[in-house]
Amino acid sequence: MNDPAPEPKLEITDVPHQSQFELRLDGVRVGFLDYSVRGDTLTTLHTEIDPAYAGQGLGERLVAHVLDIVRDTGMALRPVCPFVKRFLQKHPEYDDLVDAKKGSG
């Protein structure tokens, strides 16, 4: 008789004046990715997910979203954040974004 819980609403928003992408779940801020932009390169500095929401793949969804934006805008990526570096090791489909590899192909 229990109805399944509704799928939580996931939103990722760029907050340029804070140089941060925010991850919200049902309107609650549960994570963020700090970045900086210099020229046509986006540098990922730090990614954090609220420990209460850890293990749900939210960090990976946040990083994938940001990398898709990097790709769509034609920017290069400079991954400084350890979480983003680990993500890139698991997802070689984003290798072409890394600034050291841009232009070498």
Side-chain angles (χ1 to χ4, degrees):
M1 307 245 173
N2 289 341
D3 289 331
E7 187 68 27
K9 183 179 178 193
L10 183 71
E11 284 182 288
I12 300 171
T13 308
D14 187 6
V15 186
H17 66 277
Q18 293 181 337
S19 297
Q20 189 174 83
F21 284 91
E22 286 187 344
L23 173 67
R24 293 182 177 274
L25 200 58
D26 289 335
V28 176
R29 183 175 184 244
V30 298
F32 62 87
L33 186 149
D34 288 329
Y35 67 88
S36 68
V37 175
R38 176 172 283 166
D40 67 349
T41 300
L42 183 135
T43 301
T44 57
L45 302 171
H46 179 72
T47 304
E48 191 169 313
I49 299 296
D50 182 318
Y53 296 88
Q56 299 179 35
L58 296 174
E60 290 210 346
R61 289 179 69 179
L62 174 58
V63 171
H65 180 86
V66 171
L67 298 187
D68 288 341
I69 289 172
V70 170
R71 173 167 282 134
D72 291 347
T73 59
M75 297 182 80
L77 175 69
R78 185 170 164 253
V80 172
C81 169
F83 186 87
V84 174
K85 287 180 178 182
R86 284 191 304 275
F87 178 91
L88 289 167
Q89 289 172 347
K90 295 183 207 169
H91 298 274
E93 65 270 24
Y94 291 105
D95 280 354
D96 61 303
L97 300 179
V98 179
D99 63 353
K101 296 177 183 176
K102 286 264 248 205
S104 65

